[in-house]
Amino acid sequence: MITKHSDRLHMVTWNVATAEPPEDVTSLLQLDVQPPTDLYVIGLQEVNATPIRFISDLIAEDSWSHVFMDTLAPRGFVKVTSVRMQGLLLLVFAKQIHLPFIRNIQTTYTRTGIFGYWGNKGGVSVRFSFYGHMVCFLNCHLAAHMNYSLQRVDEFEYILEAQDFDLYDTPQIRDHKVVFWFGDLNFRIADHGLHFLRSSINSGRLNLLWNKDQLIMMKKKEPFLQEFEEGPLDFKPTYKFDRNSDTYDTSGKKRKPAWTDRILWRIKPKTLPSEDDEEEKASTSTVDGQDEFPILVTQDKYTSDMSYGVSDHKPVIATFSLDLRKCFDTPLVHVSPVGVWSADQDALLTYTIQEDFMSSTWDWIGLYKVLGQISVEKDEIPLLGGQYVLGYYSTNMQSIIGLSASFQVSIALKHK
């Protein structure tokens, strides 16, 4: 039976200005919010990407990824995937229960800065199927400075057109049912002088600045931008601050405050059917004539977190409710341990194919090749006991498509 479901998405965008992460990111992730979060999507810009640092981060996870993983893992979240292009980093975490229903994961990136060579500007994206709904997250860092508003729009359009995926039904970003576009988009507040900007901000009259926000102005001119929705800018501009303070730039440059850091979303528009489509539709339409598997995106919160001061930008947070009708709710594979597992004995597990899919000889359970009911040598079982799960990884779908219930592995006698 296909069921309706509501999931909570928590998104963060933050230009970290090459800073090291703060020790505590619990406020940023709003860990104790109700209802609880199902997905975290975190987009960072200007992660330290000097050549030496970048190479070291290729060998091991960067410090920002570590702090988010260390915070979310104890609460039952798993890193689904990540993608990095120099200073741009995009991380996706999901509650463990959702993993078998996050499929066809792909990542890509597009360079736009310094003639596209070094990758200091551009976009990184993650796309996947979530219970059968195609979603894409695009983290961008666009051209800086007041006078480059048009270039920012051109860069974004180029990224949308340049990025492609190896899937026939969603080859490009705009083919996805839902797209989230976010990052340091670098749009500024035009025309107003510094004094007017600061007095409007200090008096809480932010609405006086909206009609001169470059992104809002550009949306009125560019039809493709009008497809993207954004909540009201009811939080203070997030750039540019003196570090470790809530004070806007007091340096000699005295940069004007701006909403450079944004989170928008787009629902794929319904195309107008042709006459041929109408004839075909007569025999294939659903009972109510609507999308058989609709998805509704509702923004619950759009704000900044002023408590963080390691960067000259403040992080921006958006939370969404994703009300969707699941296209499926049964894992493709059922995996389970057989009997009691102990770290000093060989063990058995079984798996059952519950729905046909394109399997591969390179699929594996845990870290091991799959051959039906398989034996696991005792040397491969963790020496330390505890709670574990078995996961079936599909090479073709690049995701875990079956997950066992958690089970106990007894500690090896020699380690007791």
Side-chain angles (χ1 to χ4, degrees):
M1 179 180 176
I2 301 299
T3 57
K4 289 186 178 179
H5 200 256
S6 182
D7 295 288
R8 186 177 173 89
L9 166 65
H10 184 106
M11 295 184 63
V12 174
T13 180
W14 194 3
N15 183 322
V16 299
T18 72
E20 287 299 298
E23 292 183 6
D24 189 347
V25 292
T26 54
S27 169
L28 189 65
L29 300 176
Q30 300 178 353
L31 293 172
D32 298 317
V33 72
Q34 292 295 329
T37 300
D38 295 278
L39 295 170
Y40 280 99
V41 177
I42 301 161
L44 305 179
Q45 306 85 40
E46 291 193 25
V47 175
N48 194 337
T50 57
I52 293 175
R53 183 58 178 271
F54 184 66
I55 291 170
S56 69
D57 287 345
L58 291 176
I59 300 169
E61 292 277 10
D62 65 277
S63 57
W64 283 94
S65 296
H66 267 297
V67 74
F68 288 119
M69 286 190 288
D70 292 347
T71 304
L72 291 171
R75 292 179 175 256
F77 286 89
V78 177
K79 190 177 87 167
V80 174
T81 190
S82 65
V83 57
R84 180 163 181 190
M85 181 188 76
Q86 304 305 127
L88 274 166
L89 176 64
L90 178 53
L91 302 162
V92 178
F93 296 88
K95 274 284 191 186
Q96 183 175 299
I97 192 174
H98 296 302
L99 290 185
F101 309 104
I102 299 174
R103 304 175 185 172
N104 295 316
I105 303 164
Q106 292 190 11
T107 64
T108 190
Y109 60 86
T110 302
R111 296 183 176 95
T112 59
I114 311 183
F115 307 106
Y117 290 119
W118 180 234
N120 62 322
K121 295 289 194 300
V124 293
S125 62
V126 169
R127 64 86 55 208
F128 51 83
S129 162
F130 185 63
Y131 291 95
H133 296 270
M134 306 304 179
V135 296
C136 183
F137 297 89
L138 172 60
N139 171 25
C140 288
H141 192 186
L142 303 180
H145 305 305
M146 179 71 74
N147 298 330
Y148 287 94
S149 180
L150 201 55
Q151 183 177 338
R152 288 187 272 277
V153 174
D154 289 344
E155 285 183 350
F156 177 47
E157 190 168 25
Y158 169 72
I159 292 168
L160 288 177
E161 293 172 354
Q163 293 197 356
D164 50 35
F165 303 96
D166 298 328
L167 290 155
Y168 74 93
D169 53 348
T170 51
Q172 292 192 306
I173 290 174
R174 283 179 282 190
D175 295 317
H176 292 76
K177 189 173 279 189
V178 186
V179 176
F180 292 91
W181 172 39
F182 58 110
D184 180 358
L185 308 185
N186 252 323
F187 289 99
R188 308 304 169 100
I189 300 171
D191 299 340
H192 293 310
L194 183 60
H195 176 74
F196 180 81
L197 283 172
R198 292 192 173 179
S199 65
S200 299
I201 294 166
N202 292 335
S203 63
R205 296 180 295 168
L206 300 174
N207 59 303
L208 297 179
L209 309 178
W210 293 345
N211 67 339
K212 292 298 182 181
D213 174 82
Q214 290 179 334
L215 180 52
I216 292 175
M217 290 194 294
M218 281 294 181
K219 282 186 71 175
K220 295 175 182 177
K221 300 177 182 178
E222 298 286 347
F224 83 98
L225 289 179
Q226 292 166 15
E227 296 176 357
F228 287 85
E229 299 180 58
E230 185 180 23
L233 298 170
D234 287 332
F235 52 91
K236 291 182 178 181
T238 51
Y239 175 82
K240 178 184 183 181
F241 288 87
D242 293 341
R243 295 197 192 222
N244 300 306
S245 79
D246 293 340
T247 304
Y248 285 105
D249 187 17
T250 60
S251 72
K253 291 183 178 179
K254 285 190 170 53
R255 297 276 191 202
K256 291 181 180 180
W259 285 291
T260 54
D261 311 284
R262 312 285 277 269
I263 300 174
L264 298 90
W265 72 99
R266 172 189 184 268
I267 307 294
K268 186 178 179 183
K270 288 189 171 123
T271 54
L272 293 174
S274 65
E275 291 183 7
D276 292 340
D277 290 336
E278 285 288 355
E279 291 177 8
E280 184 178 341
K281 185 180 177 183
S283 60
T284 61
S285 62
T286 58
V287 175
D288 58 6
Q290 297 177 349
D291 186 351
E292 186 180 0
F293 300 105
I295 182 169
L296 176 66
V297 178
T298 306
Q299 188 174 70
D300 301 314
K301 181 182 290 185
Y302 191 29
T303 187
S304 65
D305 192 329
M306 298 290 286
S307 67
Y308 292 97
V310 297
S311 169
D312 55 1
H313 291 248
K314 300 297 182 183
V316 169
I317 298 166
T319 61
F320 297 89
S321 295
L322 307 180
D323 296 296
L324 53 88
R325 193 175 178 195
K326 296 178 181 177
C327 301
F328 46 76
D329 54 10
T330 302
L332 293 175
V333 177
H334 176 75
V335 191
S336 61
V338 175
V340 176
W341 280 43
S342 174
D344 57 357
Q345 296 176 1
D346 293 348
L348 288 175
L349 61 89
T350 62
Y351 77 85
T352 305
I353 305 296
Q354 302 192 126
E355 187 179 326
D356 286 341
F357 67 97
M358 189 179 293
S359 60
S360 164
T361 55
W362 292 100
D363 291 354
W364 43 264
I365 293 177
L367 296 175
Y368 313 103
K369 300 280 178 63
V370 154
L371 294 169
Q373 184 180 56
I374 65 171
S375 295
V376 180
E377 299 295 328
K378 62 185 179 185
D379 292 343
E380 308 293 353
I381 299 176
L383 291 174
L384 298 177
Q387 293 290 318
Y388 290 87
V389 295
L390 295 168
Y392 185 112
Y393 180 83
S394 165
T395 302
N396 289 324
M397 301 183 80
Q398 298 185 42
S399 56
I400 290 174
I401 59 173
L403 205 62
S404 74
S406 63
F407 63 97
Q408 181 74 27
V409 174
S410 302
I411 193 169
L413 291 175
K414 63 184 176 181
H415 285 269
K416 286 185 176 178

